[in-house]
Amino acid sequence: MRAGVGPRYPQVVVLVGATGDLSRRKLLPGLFHLVSAGFIPACRIVGVSLDDIDPTEFRGIAREALCQFSSRKVADDDWAAFADILDYVPLEAGPERLRNAVVRAEDSLNAESRRVHYLSVPPAAALPAVRLLGEAGLVERSRIIMEKPFGTDLETAVSLNARLHEVFAEEQIFRIDHFLGKEPAQNILAFRFANGLFEPIWNRNFIDHVQIDVPETLGLGTRAGFYEQTGAYRDMVVTHLFQILAFMAMEPPTELEPMSISEEKNKVFRSMLAVEPRDVVRGQYTGYRSEPGVDPESETETLIALKCRIDNWRWAGVPFFLRTGKRMAEGQRIISIAFREPPKSMFPPGSGVGSQGPDHLTFDLADASKMSLSFYGKRPGPGMRLDKLSLQFAMHDTGLIGDVLEAYERLILDAMRGDHTLFTTAEGIERLWEVSVPLLEAPPPVRLYQPGSWGPKSIHQLVAPHSWRLPFERAWRDHTVSSSG
């Protein structure tokens, strides 16, 4: 086992929704890698789903999932070892059969073990799955990982948490956000708090505004029924973008421990002002209402752009602009921090200073981390002409790209270790729904935008006098060529 990074005890994973899309794409390949790479001391996996199949058929599904979706080569010996730890119980078999399978798995480990229940199920099936685990007597020595959404408004979030707490204690619950599981999101913590260069200027005196921009080129796929009940704000902002905002805006924790970090994130949420409808643009791409399963008169937003504020000493007066949407021009995940411009310019007219906007620090939250710092520098030659230049870093430069864990792999490993750093608390999620009340009660009308565009024109009025960083004027440098390229 890899010392220091894995759980202390062998693990029994109960994978509810084991034959579903998320399980096949991410969870089974992720568990395979964690087991075969030695991150977990020993492991057994019990699949549970609606499909009436036996363990042999489940192993066939897992093998196919690895062939199709694993980003790493699957050696025959590693597959054979993984197949041996897979078991399966149909949901209709009931709690007793499930308990028997888990006990059998625990007995085979010949050591003290812990349980991890992963609920990879639709929202309506989450509480029935929780009740099943309770009836099966599988709460003790266990942790439970839950997928979003964590409610759809304040009332449903409070009710969901209350029902969960009837079975599981809060410290057992891990509400997963795969955005925070990505290496670049955690790099924000390292960048901020390990470098004396940036922490002193990480405040309202030096930062003008912040953008968190996550456009997607994808449409709905088969999720129309789910999306009609949620929309872009519930689907992406509360569960993902606000969590990234907290990492970006939080105060230094007293120590790099889960409780300290969670408390600082929750302080950010407590300091957020309510999201007012006048600070929000809701968009819907042309043709959405013709999608299968969508109401022909739907007012569901497929794009959301908003301005929010954090009313505390560090960030008072600094606007945070958030944007995300479906069927947009590019798929990107960036945080862009715009620094204040100098109060006075000594440079002559026509020098170019200020013509390309403020200096920016940009984090790319894609799986392979990238960062860029833009600044003005002198153009070679006579006179004083300034151009915008940039310093860029990419994880590929380090030669360590192969060590990057995929988001779900890291989060499963953290849950096994009991590490809540990258997970959302009940208090945090309820507070975010609380600040969302004005918007949810009086949402502005949706404005149409063309698929493949950057959204309706009103998003530019929202961010004025600033402008959106995306689309970038200059593309990221190609780090597949030599560093001198």
Side-chain angles (χ1 to χ4, degrees):
M1 180 189 140
R2 301 198 183 190
V5 294
R8 288 175 55 198
Y9 299 99
Q11 304 287 315
V12 174
V13 178
V14 177
L15 184 52
V16 185
T19 59
D21 187 63
L22 177 64
S23 177
R24 291 185 300 107
R25 287 178 178 274
K26 295 292 184 181
L27 305 182
L28 287 168
L31 286 165
F32 171 79
H33 178 239
L34 293 177
V35 170
S36 60
F39 285 105
I40 308 171
C43 184
R44 300 290 183 271
I45 299 168
V46 180
V48 181
S49 84
L50 290 169
D51 292 326
D52 186 12
I53 57 177
D54 61 26
T56 301
E57 291 172 292
F58 177 54
R59 292 182 191 110
I61 290 171
R63 180 63 169 140
E64 187 179 326
L66 295 185
C67 290
Q68 192 172 356
F69 298 114
S70 178
S71 59
R72 303 171 179 91
K73 186 170 172 32
V74 179
D76 290 341
D77 289 350
D78 289 337
W79 162 249
F82 187 68
D84 282 344
I85 70 172
L86 296 178
D87 196 2
Y88 183 86
V89 178
L91 194 63
E92 65 179 18
E96 187 175 347
R97 280 270 304 277
L98 176 57
R99 177 172 179 78
N100 291 342
V102 171
V103 170
R104 189 165 59 246
E106 290 173 335
D107 289 345
S108 72
L109 290 167
N110 297 316
E112 183 180 352
S113 60
R114 296 289 185 269
R115 302 161 178 161
V116 171
H117 309 306
Y118 198 120
L119 302 193
S120 177
V121 296
L127 285 174
V130 168
R131 283 196 296 272
L132 171 69
L133 295 169
E135 290 166 4
L138 298 176
V139 175
E140 187 184 357
R141 293 182 288 110
S142 76
R143 295 169 177 132
I144 182 167
I145 303 175
M146 301 195 63
E147 287 281 338
K148 65 168 188 173
F150 314 119
T152 55
D153 55 24
L154 180 58
E155 183 181 355
T156 56
V158 170
S159 173
L160 175 62
N161 285 328
R163 304 276 292 280
L164 281 174
H165 292 155
E166 290 173 3
V167 182
F168 289 93
E170 176 63 21
E171 59 267 22
Q172 293 178 283
I173 302 170
F174 291 76
R175 299 169 186 82
I176 198 166
D177 173 13
H178 69 272
F179 270 52
L180 292 189
K182 293 180 179 296
E183 200 78 42
Q186 295 161 77
N187 217 4
I188 295 169
L189 291 182
F191 192 86
R192 281 191 60 187
F193 300 129
N195 297 299
L197 178 62
F198 286 99
E199 180 53 29
I201 62 171
W202 210 265
N203 57 58
R204 63 187 297 275
N205 297 319
F206 298 94
I207 292 177
D208 184 76
H209 66 278
V210 177
Q211 293 181 27
I212 302 174
D213 207 353
V214 186
E216 297 180 294
T217 57
L218 298 174
L220 299 185
T222 59
R223 301 172 70 227
F226 165 78
Y227 207 80
E228 270 289 273
Q229 303 301 315
T230 53
Y233 184 79
R234 289 178 170 93
D235 184 40
M236 289 290 291
V237 176
V238 176
T239 49
H240 295 321
L241 272 61
F242 280 159
Q243 305 299 325
I244 295 170
L245 182 151
F247 260 35
M248 156 62 205
M250 68 189 226
E251 296 296 319
T254 54
E255 54 186 343
L256 207 62
E257 291 295 327
M259 285 188 63
S260 299
I261 292 174
S262 290
E263 175 55 21
E264 295 305 333
K265 283 173 58 186
N266 285 340
K267 282 182 186 176
V268 173
F269 298 148
R270 290 197 290 269
S271 300
M272 284 177 65
L273 297 177
V275 179
E276 298 293 342
R278 66 175 178 272
D279 293 329
V280 176
V281 173
R282 296 168 70 236
Q284 185 185 91
Y285 65 78
T286 304
Y288 170 77
R289 294 174 183 175
S290 303
E291 300 263 11
V294 171
D295 183 343
E297 298 180 359
S298 175
E299 290 293 310
T300 300
E301 80 279 357
T302 60
L303 173 145
I304 191 96
L306 64 144
K307 175 169 64 177
C308 59
R309 297 186 182 275
I310 301 170
D311 191 26
N312 62 16
W313 191 273
R314 184 180 290 262
W315 297 112
V318 177
F320 287 73
F321 297 103
L322 281 56
R323 177 174 65 172
T324 186
K326 300 287 186 186
R327 300 287 304 275
M328 295 182 68
E330 292 179 26
Q332 294 272 3
R333 296 170 179 174
I334 69 156
I335 302 174
S336 193
I337 296 151
F339 292 99
R340 293 193 182 279
E341 299 193 58
K344 179 174 171 56
S345 175
M346 67 187 77
F347 296 95
S351 65
V353 69
S355 63
Q356 296 181 57
D359 300 338
H360 283 88
L361 175 65
T362 302
F363 295 89
D364 186 329
L365 298 181
D367 287 319
S369 179
K370 289 187 285 194
M371 285 184 286
S372 171
L373 178 63
S374 69
F375 56 92
Y376 283 102
K378 183 184 178 300
R379 184 186 298 178
M384 183 57 74
R385 287 285 299 164
L386 303 182
D387 286 327
K388 204 71 164 182
L389 309 173
S390 70
L391 299 170
Q392 291 189 12
F393 160 81
M395 186 62 70
H396 287 281
D397 296 338
T398 66
L400 299 174
I401 191 68
D403 292 343
V404 173
L405 286 177
E406 292 192 352
Y408 282 99
E409 295 172 358
R410 176 180 300 280
L411 293 167
I412 290 170
L413 205 60
D414 283 354
M416 288 177 171
R417 295 167 53 221
D419 185 339
H420 275 91
T421 301
L422 303 176
F423 297 86
T424 309
T425 65
E427 176 192 340
I429 203 70
E430 288 176 16
R431 172 58 185 163
L432 291 175
W433 285 121
E434 188 179 350
V435 303
S436 304
V437 166
L439 172 62
L440 298 181
E441 288 187 344
V446 292
R447 300 174 184 273
L448 295 179
Y449 65 97
Q450 289 299 314
S453 72
W454 286 100
K457 290 185 172 59
S458 45
I459 62 168
H460 302 296
Q461 296 162 351
L462 175 73
V463 80
H466 317 296
S467 58
W468 292 101
R469 278 285 274 158
L470 289 175
F472 287 133
E473 291 180 11
R474 293 172 305 283
W476 291 98
R477 289 188 200 125
D478 184 358
H479 287 267
T480 61
V481 298
S482 67
S483 58
S484 61

